[in-house]
Amino acid sequence: MEETSEDKYQRAFAMIGRFLYHWAAMEWELNMTIQDLLGLKDLQAAIVTRNIQLRDKIHIIGASLDVLPLSEDEKKDMRATLNGIKSKTNLRNMAAHELFCPSDDGKGVKFFRIQAKGKFRIPETTWDSAMLDAECAQLDELADNIKRIGEKARSAVNLRLIAQALNAPTPSLGQPGLWSLGAHLPLGSLGHLPEETSPQEAHETPQDPED
């Protein structure tokens, strides 16, 4: 049975939706990592990450790497991840903002793009299923790498807090020790989610356009 025009449009819609889903999952990990790096509580992290753009998130994470007890090789790898995310922003903006339709063969997506900064161009851009598979896999890999940055940050923060607790006076004894550890651990240092807040509510991905 021959595909209808509606079938082809539904495929195109699904392809764009799939890409944006993988992008949103990656940006979720950016938000969680900012919470870990800055030691924010869940509500603080939700408000902060909701009101900054992607480039700001990358700047925050990049700057925070310099104050973590990481090797230069680890920092280099993590910066490569951040650069990988920046390299995908044009694709994200295209999927989010450009008009599209099914490709000529009906198996992909064709974008109607206009470039008018300095020069005027109307480039022909088509996504096929192989390209989409590769891009979604790369976004998943970037998300995993960002998650590892957050894990490193949590470990570093908790080690620093334990060191502070060991040197802080215990209220009843006036001596440093582990008895004071609880007073130094922030509410969310052992996990992300408060009892009353779901992860979707706490870390909703910003929807504002980002150029």
Side-chain angles (χ1 to χ4, degrees):
M1 182 177 177
E2 186 175 351
E3 282 192 323
T4 65
S5 175
E6 179 65 19
D7 293 332
K8 295 175 182 178
Y9 268 95
Q10 289 298 327
R11 179 181 291 114
F13 297 156
M15 292 177 72
I16 296 300
R18 180 186 172 199
F19 176 84
L20 291 175
Y21 168 81
H22 285 270
W23 180 273
M26 179 276 297
E27 193 163 356
W28 173 286
E29 293 300 340
L30 282 177
N31 295 343
M32 301 287 272
T33 296
I34 287 173
Q35 176 174 0
D36 288 328
L37 288 167
L38 300 184
L40 300 175
K41 295 180 181 180
D42 297 280
L43 181 59
Q44 294 170 331
I47 293 172
V48 169
T49 57
R50 176 67 180 176
N51 285 282
I52 56 177
Q53 295 187 350
L54 179 75
R55 61 175 175 266
D56 303 313
K57 297 175 184 181
I58 291 173
H59 290 328
I60 289 170
I61 294 174
S64 298
L65 293 178
D66 286 333
V67 299
L68 288 178
L70 303 172
S71 70
E72 289 305 314
D73 285 342
E74 286 178 313
K75 292 180 181 180
K76 183 178 179 181
D77 289 343
M78 291 176 182
R79 293 191 192 284
T81 293
L82 298 178
N83 288 333
I85 294 172
K86 286 192 285 188
S87 73
K88 303 294 183 186
T89 54
N90 284 339
L91 291 178
R92 181 266 178 194
N93 290 339
M94 192 188 315
H97 302 304
E98 302 290 357
L99 182 65
F100 64 88
C101 70
S103 59
D104 293 339
D105 63 5
K107 297 180 179 180
V109 179
K110 181 166 67 174
F111 292 91
F112 298 96
R113 300 175 61 203
I114 296 176
Q115 296 178 345
K117 289 187 177 180
K119 294 182 179 180
F120 184 83
R121 295 179 59 225
I122 306 178
E124 184 172 322
T125 305
T126 301
W127 292 7
D128 59 24
S129 59
M131 178 267 191
L132 182 64
D133 288 345
E135 291 298 335
C136 290
Q138 289 174 28
L139 286 174
D140 289 345
E141 182 179 357
L142 291 169
D144 288 341
N145 291 342
I146 286 293
K147 187 174 182 178
R148 280 193 284 273
I149 295 176
E151 291 169 352
K152 293 273 187 181
R154 281 202 306 279
S155 298
V157 168
N158 286 336
L159 284 174
R160 185 169 67 247
L161 291 168
I162 290 171
Q164 290 173 353
L166 287 170
N167 287 288
T170 303
S172 59
L173 303 176
Q175 306 240 347
L178 277 173
W179 293 108
S180 59
L181 178 60
H184 290 266
L185 286 174
L187 235 107
S189 64
L190 300 181
H192 292 289
L193 303 177
E195 294 180 0
E196 72 277 11
T197 307
S198 70
Q200 289 80 9
E201 293 169 337
H203 296 283
E204 182 184 355
T205 303
Q207 299 300 315
D208 296 334
E210 297 170 359
D211 295 325

